[in-house]
Amino acid sequence: MRDRLETMKSEALEELKRAEDIQTLQELRVKYLGKKGILTEILRGMGGLSAEERPVIGQLANDVRASIEEVIAEKQNKFQQAETEKRLRSETIDVTLPGRNIGQGAVHPLSKVIREIEDIFIGMGYRIAEGPEVETDYYNFEALNLPKDHPARDMQDSFYITDEILLRTQTSPVQIRTMEAMDGEVPVKIICPGKVYRRDDDDATHSFQFMQIEGLVIDRNIRMSDLKGTLQQFVREMFGSQTEIRLRPSFFPFTEPSAEVDVTCVHCGGNGCRVCKHTGWLEILGSGMVHPRVLEMGGYDPEQYSGFAFGMGVERIAMLKYGVDDIRHYYTNDLRFLEQFVRI
Ligand code: DAH
Protein backbone atom coordinates (compact mmCIF):
# COMPACT_ATOMS: atom_id res chain seq x y z
CA MET A 1 0.00 0.00 0.00
CA ARG A 2 2.82 2.25 0.84
CA ASP A 3 4.16 1.85 -2.69
CA ARG A 4 0.81 2.49 -4.27
CA LEU A 5 0.43 5.65 -2.22
CA GLU A 6 3.90 6.87 -3.18
CA THR A 7 3.30 6.08 -6.86
CA MET A 8 -0.03 7.83 -6.80
CA LYS A 9 1.61 10.87 -5.20
CA SER A 10 4.32 11.17 -7.81
CA GLU A 11 1.85 10.60 -10.66
CA ALA A 12 -0.48 13.21 -9.25
CA LEU A 13 2.30 15.75 -8.81
CA GLU A 14 3.57 15.06 -12.31
CA GLU A 15 0.10 15.63 -13.81
CA LEU A 16 -0.45 18.73 -11.70
CA LYS A 17 2.81 20.17 -12.96
CA ARG A 18 1.44 20.02 -16.50
CA ALA A 19 -1.94 21.51 -15.57
CA GLU A 20 -2.42 24.93 -17.13
CA ASP A 21 -5.79 26.08 -15.95
CA ILE A 22 -8.19 25.94 -13.03
CA GLN A 23 -10.50 23.56 -14.82
CA THR A 24 -7.74 20.91 -15.10
CA LEU A 25 -6.86 21.37 -11.42
CA GLN A 26 -10.45 20.60 -10.46
CA GLU A 27 -10.49 17.50 -12.62
CA LEU A 28 -7.25 16.24 -11.05
CA ARG A 29 -8.58 16.84 -7.55
CA VAL A 30 -11.62 14.72 -8.37
CA LYS A 31 -9.48 12.09 -10.03
CA TYR A 32 -7.07 11.64 -7.07
CA LEU A 33 -8.84 12.91 -3.97
CA GLY A 34 -12.53 12.72 -4.87
CA LYS A 35 -15.01 10.39 -3.20
CA LYS A 36 -14.58 7.90 -6.01
CA GLY A 37 -10.98 8.90 -6.62
CA ILE A 38 -7.76 6.90 -6.58
CA LEU A 39 -6.91 7.66 -2.94
CA THR A 40 -10.26 6.33 -1.71
CA GLU A 41 -9.77 3.35 -3.89
CA ILE A 42 -6.33 2.59 -2.36
CA LEU A 43 -7.57 3.12 1.18
CA ARG A 44 -10.19 0.48 0.71
CA GLY A 45 -7.37 -1.99 1.33
CA MET A 46 -6.86 -0.62 4.91
CA GLY A 47 -8.99 -3.40 6.32
CA GLY A 48 -6.39 -5.99 5.46
CA LEU A 49 -3.60 -4.23 7.42
CA SER A 50 -2.27 -5.13 10.82
CA ALA A 51 -3.05 -2.92 13.81
CA GLU A 52 0.52 -1.52 13.81
CA GLU A 53 0.57 -0.76 10.10
CA ARG A 54 -2.83 0.93 10.00
CA PRO A 55 -1.90 4.23 11.70
CA VAL A 56 1.36 4.41 9.78
CA ILE A 57 -0.38 4.02 6.43
CA GLY A 58 -3.16 6.32 7.61
CA GLN A 59 -0.58 8.98 8.39
CA LEU A 60 1.10 8.49 5.04
CA ALA A 61 -2.27 8.75 3.22
CA ASN A 62 -2.92 12.02 5.02
CA ASP A 63 0.48 13.37 4.06
CA VAL A 64 -0.04 12.40 0.42
CA ARG A 65 -3.46 14.07 0.41
CA ALA A 66 -1.97 17.18 2.06
CA SER A 67 0.85 17.54 -0.43
CA ILE A 68 -1.48 17.13 -3.39
CA GLU A 69 -3.91 19.67 -1.89
CA GLU A 70 -1.07 22.06 -1.32
CA VAL A 71 0.12 21.94 -4.91
CA ILE A 72 -3.46 22.37 -6.17
CA ALA A 73 -4.01 25.38 -3.90
CA GLU A 74 -0.73 26.96 -4.93
CA LYS A 75 -1.38 26.55 -8.64
CA GLN A 76 -4.97 27.70 -8.28
CA ASN A 77 -3.76 30.87 -6.64
CA LYS A 78 -1.28 31.47 -9.40
CA PHE A 79 -3.90 30.97 -12.12
CA GLN A 80 -6.33 33.29 -10.38
CA GLN A 81 -3.74 35.99 -10.08
CA ALA A 82 -2.81 35.66 -13.73
CA GLU A 83 -6.46 35.91 -14.66
CA THR A 84 -6.94 39.07 -12.61
CA GLU A 85 -3.86 40.65 -14.12
CA LYS A 86 -5.06 39.80 -17.60
CA ARG A 87 -8.42 41.39 -16.90
CA LEU A 88 -6.88 44.52 -15.43
CA ARG A 89 -4.61 44.83 -18.44
CA SER A 90 -7.53 44.56 -20.85
CA GLU A 91 -9.56 47.09 -18.89
CA THR A 92 -6.98 49.81 -18.55
CA ILE A 93 -8.13 53.22 -19.71
CA ASP A 94 -5.92 55.48 -21.73
CA VAL A 95 -6.34 58.66 -19.76
CA THR A 96 -4.27 60.59 -22.29
CA LEU A 97 -6.91 60.18 -25.06
CA PRO A 98 -8.55 63.52 -25.83
CA GLY A 99 -12.24 63.58 -24.78
CA ARG A 100 -15.14 63.67 -27.22
CA ASN A 101 -16.56 67.12 -27.63
CA ILE A 102 -20.22 67.51 -26.68
CA GLY A 103 -21.54 70.58 -28.44
CA GLN A 104 -23.19 73.02 -26.11
CA GLY A 105 -26.83 73.75 -26.87
CA ALA A 106 -28.46 77.15 -26.71
CA VAL A 107 -31.91 78.59 -26.26
CA HIS A 108 -33.85 78.82 -29.55
CA PRO A 109 -34.30 82.44 -30.72
CA LEU A 110 -38.11 82.13 -30.55
CA SER A 111 -37.90 80.88 -26.97
CA LYS A 112 -35.56 83.78 -26.23
CA VAL A 113 -38.04 86.31 -27.55
CA ILE A 114 -40.92 84.68 -25.66
CA ARG A 115 -38.91 84.79 -22.41
CA GLU A 116 -38.03 88.41 -23.00
CA ILE A 117 -41.67 89.37 -23.63
CA GLU A 118 -42.76 87.36 -20.58
CA ASP A 119 -40.19 89.16 -18.43
CA ILE A 120 -41.40 92.57 -19.57
CA PHE A 121 -45.02 91.78 -18.72
CA ILE A 122 -44.20 89.97 -15.48
CA GLY A 123 -42.42 93.22 -14.55
CA MET A 124 -45.75 94.99 -15.04
CA GLY A 125 -47.59 92.53 -12.77
CA TYR A 126 -48.88 90.05 -15.33
CA ARG A 127 -49.15 86.30 -14.82
CA ILE A 128 -48.50 83.62 -17.48
CA ALA A 129 -51.55 81.60 -18.55
CA GLU A 130 -51.76 78.60 -20.85
CA GLY A 131 -54.40 76.73 -22.78
CA PRO A 132 -54.73 73.65 -25.01
CA GLU A 133 -53.62 73.58 -28.64
CA VAL A 134 -56.47 71.25 -29.51
CA GLU A 135 -59.40 73.49 -28.75
CA THR A 136 -63.18 73.45 -29.00
CA ASP A 137 -65.02 75.58 -31.52
CA TYR A 138 -66.72 77.22 -28.55
CA TYR A 139 -63.52 78.64 -27.01
CA ASN A 140 -61.72 79.33 -30.27
CA PHE A 141 -64.61 81.15 -31.95
CA GLU A 142 -68.04 81.11 -30.39
CA ALA A 143 -67.22 82.59 -26.97
CA LEU A 144 -65.05 85.19 -28.71
CA ASN A 145 -68.14 86.60 -30.41
CA LEU A 146 -67.68 84.58 -33.59
CA PRO A 147 -70.84 82.52 -34.06
CA LYS A 148 -70.83 79.68 -36.58
CA ASP A 149 -71.91 81.71 -39.63
CA HIS A 150 -69.76 84.77 -38.85
CA PRO A 151 -67.87 85.92 -41.96
CA ALA A 152 -64.80 86.83 -39.88
CA ARG A 153 -64.15 83.11 -39.38
CA ASP A 154 -62.74 83.21 -42.89
CA MET A 155 -59.90 85.40 -41.61
CA GLN A 156 -58.45 82.29 -40.00
CA ASP A 157 -58.59 79.13 -42.08
CA SER A 158 -58.72 76.33 -39.58
CA PHE A 159 -57.68 72.72 -39.19
CA TYR A 160 -60.82 70.98 -37.90
CA ILE A 161 -60.59 67.60 -36.21
CA THR A 162 -64.34 67.15 -35.78
CA ASP A 163 -67.18 69.65 -36.27
CA GLU A 164 -66.61 70.93 -32.76
CA ILE A 165 -62.86 70.42 -32.23
CA LEU A 166 -59.99 72.12 -34.04
CA LEU A 167 -56.35 73.14 -33.69
CA ARG A 168 -56.61 76.60 -32.18
CA THR A 169 -56.12 79.35 -34.74
CA GLN A 170 -55.21 81.93 -32.11
CA THR A 171 -54.32 82.19 -28.42
CA SER A 172 -57.45 84.29 -27.78
CA PRO A 173 -59.45 81.26 -26.45
CA VAL A 174 -57.19 81.47 -23.36
CA GLN A 175 -58.95 84.78 -22.61
CA ILE A 176 -62.22 82.93 -22.05
CA ARG A 177 -60.59 80.04 -20.21
CA THR A 178 -58.84 82.53 -17.89
CA MET A 179 -62.01 84.49 -17.20
CA GLU A 180 -63.85 81.26 -16.37
CA ALA A 181 -61.04 80.17 -14.04
CA MET A 182 -60.98 83.60 -12.33
CA ASP A 183 -64.69 83.21 -11.68
CA GLY A 184 -65.48 86.94 -11.67
CA GLU A 185 -62.42 88.00 -9.63
CA VAL A 186 -60.41 91.08 -10.65
CA PRO A 187 -57.88 92.15 -11.65
CA VAL A 188 -57.24 89.76 -14.51
CA LYS A 189 -53.75 90.40 -15.89
CA ILE A 190 -52.35 87.63 -18.01
CA ILE A 191 -50.26 86.95 -21.04
CA CYS A 192 -50.44 83.65 -22.83
CA PRO A 193 -47.68 82.44 -25.14
CA GLY A 194 -48.47 79.44 -27.32
CA LYS A 195 -48.58 77.70 -30.64
CA VAL A 196 -51.41 78.27 -33.13
CA TYR A 197 -52.31 76.64 -36.44
CA ARG A 198 -53.80 77.92 -39.70
CA ARG A 199 -54.35 76.47 -43.14
CA ASP A 200 -51.85 78.80 -44.78
CA ASP A 201 -49.33 77.98 -47.46
CA ASP A 202 -45.84 78.45 -46.07
CA ASP A 203 -43.82 81.31 -47.52
CA ALA A 204 -41.37 83.91 -46.23
CA THR A 205 -43.96 85.50 -43.95
CA HIS A 206 -46.55 82.73 -43.41
CA SER A 207 -46.42 79.39 -41.69
CA PHE A 208 -49.16 76.84 -41.03
CA GLN A 209 -48.05 76.90 -37.41
CA PHE A 210 -46.61 79.80 -35.48
CA MET A 211 -46.46 81.31 -32.00
CA GLN A 212 -48.65 84.02 -30.57
CA ILE A 213 -48.69 85.90 -27.32
CA GLU A 214 -52.06 86.97 -26.06
CA GLY A 215 -52.61 89.63 -23.41
CA LEU A 216 -55.71 90.30 -21.33
CA VAL A 217 -56.48 92.82 -18.59
CA ILE A 218 -59.85 93.17 -16.87
CA ASP A 219 -60.70 95.41 -13.94
CA ARG A 220 -62.92 98.36 -13.12
CA ASN A 221 -62.25 101.49 -15.20
CA ILE A 222 -59.83 100.00 -17.71
CA ARG A 223 -59.58 102.42 -20.66
CA MET A 224 -58.06 102.61 -24.08
CA SER A 225 -55.35 104.85 -22.62
CA ASP A 226 -54.29 101.94 -20.36
CA LEU A 227 -53.91 99.77 -23.46
CA LYS A 228 -51.86 102.42 -25.22
CA GLY A 229 -49.63 103.15 -22.23
CA THR A 230 -49.01 99.43 -21.64
CA LEU A 231 -48.06 98.76 -25.25
CA GLN A 232 -45.89 101.89 -25.41
CA GLN A 233 -43.97 100.67 -22.36
CA PHE A 234 -43.70 97.17 -23.86
CA VAL A 235 -42.24 98.26 -27.22
CA ARG A 236 -39.73 100.57 -25.54
CA GLU A 237 -38.39 97.71 -23.47
CA MET A 238 -38.48 95.34 -26.43
CA PHE A 239 -37.10 97.48 -29.27
CA GLY A 240 -35.41 100.42 -27.53
CA SER A 241 -36.45 103.53 -25.61
CA GLN A 242 -36.87 105.73 -28.70
CA THR A 243 -39.55 103.44 -30.18
CA GLU A 244 -42.98 105.04 -30.70
CA ILE A 245 -46.34 103.38 -31.38
CA ARG A 246 -49.42 104.40 -33.30
CA LEU A 247 -52.90 102.89 -33.17
CA ARG A 248 -54.88 102.39 -36.36
CA PRO A 249 -58.60 101.60 -36.30
CA SER A 250 -59.24 97.98 -37.20
CA PHE A 251 -61.71 95.16 -36.67
CA PHE A 252 -61.66 92.08 -34.48
CA PRO A 253 -64.89 90.37 -33.43
CA PHE A 254 -63.73 90.13 -29.81
CA THR A 255 -62.78 93.77 -29.30
CA GLU A 256 -64.65 97.05 -29.69
CA PRO A 257 -63.09 99.38 -30.59
CA SER A 258 -60.22 97.48 -32.17
CA ALA A 259 -56.82 98.80 -33.16
CA GLU A 260 -53.83 97.61 -35.06
CA VAL A 261 -50.60 98.74 -33.44
CA ASP A 262 -47.55 99.89 -35.39
CA VAL A 263 -44.06 100.69 -34.10
CA THR A 264 -41.57 103.10 -35.61
CA CYS A 265 -39.38 101.05 -37.92
CA VAL A 266 -36.74 99.17 -35.94
CA HIS A 267 -34.44 99.37 -38.94
CA CYS A 268 -34.53 103.06 -39.95
CA GLY A 269 -36.07 104.61 -36.84
CA GLY A 270 -39.00 105.95 -38.83
CA ASN A 271 -37.26 107.64 -41.74
CA GLY A 272 -38.44 105.08 -44.28
CA CYS A 273 -36.52 102.14 -45.68
CA ARG A 274 -36.91 98.81 -47.45
CA VAL A 275 -37.96 96.99 -44.23
CA CYS A 276 -40.90 99.35 -43.52
CA LYS A 277 -41.67 99.78 -47.22
CA HIS A 278 -40.79 103.48 -46.84
CA THR A 279 -43.67 104.18 -44.44
CA GLY A 280 -41.53 104.49 -41.31
CA TRP A 281 -43.95 102.13 -39.46
CA LEU A 282 -44.19 98.38 -38.85
CA GLU A 283 -47.36 96.58 -37.80
CA ILE A 284 -46.72 94.36 -34.78
CA LEU A 285 -50.01 93.43 -33.13
CA GLY A 286 -53.79 93.52 -32.93
CA SER A 287 -55.60 94.88 -29.90
CA GLY A 288 -58.68 96.54 -28.56
CA MET A 289 -61.14 96.94 -25.70
CA VAL A 290 -62.68 93.59 -24.80
CA HIS A 291 -66.12 93.34 -26.44
CA PRO A 292 -68.99 93.45 -23.90
CA ARG A 293 -70.32 90.15 -25.28
CA VAL A 294 -66.94 88.50 -24.63
CA LEU A 295 -66.85 89.86 -21.07
CA GLU A 296 -70.33 88.47 -20.55
CA MET A 297 -69.42 85.09 -21.95
CA GLY A 298 -66.42 84.98 -19.61
CA GLY A 299 -68.69 85.73 -16.64
CA TYR A 300 -67.95 89.44 -16.16
CA ASP A 301 -70.64 92.13 -16.06
CA PRO A 302 -69.74 94.67 -18.80
CA GLU A 303 -71.56 97.36 -16.82
CA GLN A 304 -69.05 97.01 -14.00
CA TYR A 305 -65.92 95.81 -15.65
CA SER A 306 -63.94 96.64 -18.75
CA GLY A 307 -60.72 95.38 -20.20
CA PHE A 308 -58.25 95.42 -23.03
CA ALA A 309 -56.67 92.62 -25.00
CA PHE A 310 -53.91 92.21 -27.54
CA GLY A 311 -52.33 89.49 -29.60
CA MET A 312 -48.99 89.40 -31.36
CA GLY A 313 -47.08 86.97 -33.54
CA VAL A 314 -43.83 85.92 -31.91
CA GLU A 315 -42.06 85.12 -35.18
CA ARG A 316 -42.84 88.55 -36.56
CA ILE A 317 -41.45 90.26 -33.44
CA ALA A 318 -38.37 88.01 -33.59
CA MET A 319 -37.90 88.71 -37.30
CA LEU A 320 -38.01 92.46 -36.70
CA LYS A 321 -35.79 92.31 -33.65
CA TYR A 322 -33.09 90.19 -35.26
CA GLY A 323 -33.45 91.37 -38.87
CA VAL A 324 -34.49 87.93 -40.17
CA ASP A 325 -36.28 88.02 -43.53
CA ASP A 326 -37.82 84.53 -43.72
CA ILE A 327 -40.02 82.95 -41.05
CA ARG A 328 -38.96 79.46 -42.16
CA HIS A 329 -35.47 79.99 -40.73
CA TYR A 330 -37.02 79.62 -37.29
CA TYR A 331 -38.27 76.12 -38.10
CA THR A 332 -35.66 74.53 -40.35
CA ASN A 333 -33.21 74.72 -37.44
CA ASP A 334 -30.09 75.02 -39.54
CA LEU A 335 -27.29 75.21 -36.96
CA ARG A 336 -25.55 77.95 -38.96
CA PHE A 337 -28.64 80.07 -38.35
CA LEU A 338 -29.20 79.07 -34.72
CA GLU A 339 -25.57 79.50 -33.69
CA GLN A 340 -25.78 83.21 -34.42
CA PHE A 341 -28.08 83.59 -31.42
CA VAL A 342 -25.91 81.79 -28.89
CA ARG A 343 -24.33 84.95 -27.51
CA ILE A 344 -27.18 87.39 -28.05
N1 DAH B 1 -56.36 86.75 -32.24
C1 DAH B 1 -55.99 87.76 -33.22
C2 DAH B 1 -55.37 87.08 -34.42
O1 DAH B 1 -54.94 85.96 -34.29
C3 DAH B 1 -55.01 88.71 -32.63
C4 DAH B 1 -55.67 89.59 -31.64
C5 DAH B 1 -56.22 90.81 -32.02
C6 DAH B 1 -55.78 89.20 -30.31
C7 DAH B 1 -56.84 91.62 -31.12
C8 DAH B 1 -56.41 90.02 -29.40
C9 DAH B 1 -56.94 91.24 -29.82
O2 DAH B 1 -56.54 89.71 -28.13
O3 DAH B 1 -57.54 92.03 -28.93
O4 DAH B 1 -55.33 87.63 -35.47
Side-chain angles (χ1 to χ4, degrees), residues 209-328:
Q209 60 142 65
F210 56 101
M211 308 282 295
Q212 278 191 337
I213 293 186
E214 190 80 12
L216 175 69
V217 172
I218 300 173
D219 207 340
R220 293 175 197 274
N221 303 318
I222 297 292
R223 307 191 186 108
M224 195 97 183
S225 51
D226 296 312
L227 168 66
K228 187 170 182 191
T230 301
L231 294 178
Q232 177 71 70
Q233 179 62 22
F234 162 65
V235 300
R236 287 195 173 149
E237 288 192 47
M238 193 69 199
F239 296 112
S241 56
Q242 70 299 336
T243 316
E244 295 294 335
I245 60 169
R246 80 175 177 191
L247 272 59
R248 275 181 297 109
S250 182
F251 171 79
F252 297 101
F254 26 86
T255 42
E256 183 57 38
S258 304
E260 221 117 28
V261 178
D262 298 343
V263 288
T264 41
C265 179
V266 293
H267 193 66
C268 64
N271 298 325
C273 69
R274 196 177 43 81
V275 175
C276 57
K277 300 200 179 80
H278 304 282
T279 62
W281 295 96
L282 295 164
E283 183 192 320
I284 59 155
L285 55 82
S287 67
M289 301 306 291
V290 181
H291 196 292
R293 292 265 289 279
V294 174
L295 282 173
E296 243 165 31
M297 267 179 292
Y300 286 80
D301 177 2
E303 297 293 328
Q304 286 192 57
Y305 300 108
S306 54
F308 66 76
F310 55 87
M312 64 186 108
V314 176
E315 286 79 355
R316 174 148 174 86
I317 304 269
M319 283 166 82
L320 294 174
K321 191 171 168 79
Y322 298 131
V324 172
D325 60 4
D326 194 320
I327 192 172
R328 290 167 292 196

Side-chain angles (χ1 to χ4, degrees), residues 163-217:
D163 280 353
E164 293 301 325
I165 297 175
L166 72 160
L167 299 182
R168 68 178 173 193
T169 57
Q170 48 187 354
T171 42
S172 305
V174 181
Q175 288 189 26
I176 307 293
R177 288 183 173 276
T178 303
M179 283 190 254
E180 283 183 359
M182 290 291 284
D183 201 18
E185 291 286 306
V186 285
V188 176
K189 271 180 105 175
I190 57 117
I191 60 161
C192 163
K195 218 175 259 176
V196 300
Y197 302 83
R198 293 193 194 171
R199 269 178 27 193
D200 260 333
D201 288 330
D202 288 7
D203 62 25
T205 53
H206 293 84
S207 169
F208 70 95
Q209 60 142 65
F210 56 101
M211 308 282 295
Q212 278 191 337
I213 293 186
E214 190 80 12
L216 175 69
V217 172

